[in-house]
Amino acid sequence: MPEGDVVLLTARRLHAALAGRPLVRAELRWPTVAEAGLAGCTVREVVAYGKHLLVRLDDGRTLHTHLRMDGYWRIARTGTPEARGASPGVRAALANDLWTCLGHRLGMLDVVATRDEHRLLSHLGPDLLADDFPDRVDEAVGRLVAADAVGGFHHERPPAVGLPVGDALLSQQGVAGIGTIYASESLAAERVHPWAAVRDLGLPSGGARDAVLRRVLLTARRLEQEALVARGGPADVPRAVYGREGRPCRRCGTAVLRGVVNLPPYERQLYWCPACQPGPGPQPTGARSSGAR
Ligand SMILES: [Zn+2]
């Protein structure tokens, strides 16, 4: 699943292609918005919030999309064969006289008044890659701690059990923009076990717990920012643990492990070094969580 860095990069590319010019073509192949009639509008800007993309138009509306598991955008010169967008996987085609942007396998499309965007995003935590995130990191920490106290963001666990920090990071309601890559990598960098309950971090004092969470979040932000400027893009960055099951930890040589976090049907896979990140081990799954991320 694309994470915040890839979504932000996508927003920048779409902005460069679309901003400031009127749309000569706007096809939304999605039942609820197929008749939205965006052609003729000028794109003001394209921005990202967490894993969400917002295309803001000059008529006061916003096209909101989400890449979900495997969505992506491609940009082609308008008028070329690549710009036709005939593939059944194309859910959105936005074009001006120069560029055509094709959204493949998008998992969500809405058109809303720009002033109502917050209603789509209100469940999300602070955006990890936003300029103001360092000022909002304590808000994100507070959301993670509060969710831990009640058994998760959807109350999916008994409150007495505690919320594994890996689950907490992946829920976009604590902080928006972290997926399995940066959950794995930031926890590895800070030597935190993915299945440690949020309440148990930095025991025995709550202040130490908050400091651990703050470090993990700011490390995730730094890693995503580094990926954004990496020469080969985010996909080309060497990982400490992510995708390296069975291979030696770069720090200590112990074989990296892979395990499942989140309760069904939202299971996700995280990677960790059992020597550098000692802890309780994956928890058994069983209960059901719900809700959009
Ligand atoms: Zn290690």
Side-chain angles (χ1 to χ4, degrees):
M1 177 186 277
E3 304 195 20
D5 55 346
V6 170
V7 177
L8 180 57
L9 210 52
T10 301
R12 288 176 179 173
R13 288 173 177 160
L14 293 181
H15 180 87
L18 295 176
R21 307 184 84 87
L23 294 172
V24 298
R25 174 188 178 195
E27 296 169 31
L28 304 180
R29 300 173 189 166
W30 195 263
T32 52
V33 293
E35 307 298 328
L38 306 185
C41 297
T42 293
V43 174
R44 285 199 295 118
E45 58 182 349
V46 183
V47 300
Y49 190 101
K51 301 181 184 179
H52 298 251
L53 268 172
L54 303 168
V55 181
R56 293 177 178 147
L57 304 165
D58 68 342
D59 71 345
R61 289 186 293 172
T62 294
L63 169 64
H64 162 249
T65 69
H66 193 292
L67 300 177
R68 289 286 194 197
M69 290 309 289
D70 56 358
Y72 60 93
W73 286 81
R74 287 285 178 272
I75 301 175
R77 275 275 180 192
T78 296
T80 62
E82 295 75 31
R84 277 207 296 267
S87 158
V90 172
R91 300 273 182 267
L94 303 176
N96 55 38
D97 56 336
L98 294 178
W99 298 105
T100 297
C101 301
L102 301 173
H104 294 255
R105 298 207 282 269
L106 306 179
M108 197 188 287
L109 285 94
D110 303 286
V111 176
V112 298
T114 300
R115 65 173 179 276
D116 294 334
E117 276 176 7
H118 62 278
R119 292 185 191 167
L120 297 171
L121 308 175
S122 60
H123 65 293
L124 300 172
D127 179 5
L128 186 74
L129 290 177
D131 291 342
D132 68 353
F133 185 77
D135 296 329
R136 297 185 69 190
V137 64
D138 286 340
E139 177 188 341
V141 167
R143 284 171 171 256
L144 300 175
V145 169
D148 172 77
V150 298
F153 288 96
H154 304 288
H155 306 272
E156 67 271 20
R157 299 166 189 274
V161 172
L163 178 64
V165 63
D167 294 41
L169 293 178
L170 291 175
S171 167
Q172 303 302 299
Q173 297 178 59
V175 55
I178 296 181
T180 51
I181 296 174
Y182 294 104
S184 297
E185 295 289 297
S186 61
L187 292 171
E190 296 300 333
R191 297 177 178 246
V192 175
H193 189 75
W195 284 268
V198 168
R199 65 190 59 178
D200 294 334
L201 299 176
L203 282 175
S205 86
R209 172 203 63 203
D210 292 0
V212 170
L213 288 170
R214 207 176 290 124
R215 278 207 310 276
V216 168
L217 293 174
L218 292 174
T219 294
R221 172 179 163 90
R222 175 177 58 77
L223 293 172
E224 291 204 23
Q225 286 177 326
E226 288 172 1
L228 276 171
V229 296
R231 195 153 53 149
D236 200 39
V237 176
R239 309 295 182 193
V241 291
Y242 182 83
R244 300 190 65 244
E245 183 185 17
R247 295 169 65 189
C249 168
R250 298 187 197 278
R251 191 189 275 135
C252 75
T254 303
V256 169
L257 299 180
R258 173 171 59 100
V260 174
V261 291
N262 284 354
L263 301 177
Y266 296 109
E267 300 97 324
R268 309 284 298 283
Q269 300 193 338
L270 293 185
Y271 298 79
W272 80 105
C273 169
C276 294
Q277 300 163 262
Q283 294 181 345
T285 57
R288 179 169 287 266
S289 63
S290 63
R293 294 180 176 227

